[in-house]
Amino acid sequence: MSAECIFCKIVKGEIPSFKIYEDDATFAFLDIRPVNRGHTLVVPKNHSRNIFDSAVEDWLAVTKTVRKLAPVIEKAVKADGININMNNREHAGQVVDHLHVHIIPRFKGDGFKLWSQSPYKEGEAVSVQKEIKAHLPQ
Ligand code: AMP
Ligand code: ZN
């Protein structure tokens, strides 16, 4: 636990939240500023900042809870789909430094666009593939 962390305080009940679900390792609650209704955050009870410093067991517990809740939330709010999103570090859009996964209900015609994409230039994919594979643990 981190004394100043807002999501640790939510897990401990020190500040209020609209709790959706809780088990031994995870806690899920409504995002206070939802992209769409039903937008839910799933966090591990153990504090970690993001995916990079999380214990594998905590990460697995979070993904298990996300797997459990995504279909429940989609059905409950009558969504047409769900985005699962996670921001890691400031420049990837992370604002709260306690690992969290967003479950975001999507509705036909809601107008939200994901990132634009473009194809690799000639030979670029092979060099990126090499760079990443060179960093894989042996
Ligand atoms: P991120 O940009 O991935 O760090 O997202 C942090 C999310 O936490 C934002 O979507 C906020 O709306 C949400 N949030 C911040 N404070 C609270 C709170 N007290 N209760 C619920 N959600 C919160
Ligand atoms: Zn925390």
Side-chain angles (χ1 to χ4, degrees):
M1 293 284 173
S2 166
E4 295 308 314
C5 172
I6 185 170
F7 286 176
C8 281
K9 287 182 178 170
I10 285 178
V11 167
K12 285 188 280 182
E14 291 175 3
I15 59 174
S17 71
F18 295 95
K19 184 170 98 173
I20 298 291
Y21 173 84
E22 177 178 14
D23 61 24
D24 287 350
T26 67
F27 194 95
F29 54 101
L30 292 182
D31 194 298
I32 204 79
R33 298 184 72 235
V35 171
N36 273 327
R37 56 195 299 273
H39 180 168
T40 296
L41 302 175
V42 180
V43 308
K45 288 186 171 176
N46 291 328
H47 179 86
S48 60
R49 291 183 64 152
N50 52 41
I51 196 161
F52 299 111
D53 68 341
S54 64
V56 172
E57 298 72 30
D58 289 333
W59 171 244
L60 291 177
V62 166
T63 59
K64 201 171 162 193
T65 297
V66 170
R67 177 64 181 87
K68 188 189 294 259
L69 294 183
V72 173
I73 292 167
E74 184 187 55
K75 192 170 177 197
V77 302
K78 299 185 173 56
D80 301 305
I82 291 274
N83 286 131
I84 306 297
N85 181 45
M86 184 186 191
N87 303 320
N88 295 280
R89 304 202 203 281
E90 180 186 353
H91 293 288
Q94 184 172 12
V95 174
V96 177
D97 280 340
H98 180 124
L99 187 157
H100 55 281
V101 172
H102 297 254
I103 301 176
I104 304 175
R106 295 296 304 272
F107 298 89
K108 186 178 174 192
D110 66 17
F112 297 118
K113 294 259 186 283
L114 298 179
W115 297 287
S116 60
Q117 292 176 255
S118 55
Y120 281 112
K121 296 184 184 67
E122 182 71 31
E124 199 182 1
V126 173
S127 82
V128 173
Q129 179 191 31
K130 278 188 189 145
E131 284 166 29
I132 295 172
K133 289 182 80 171
H135 283 79
L136 276 177
Q138 297 306 310

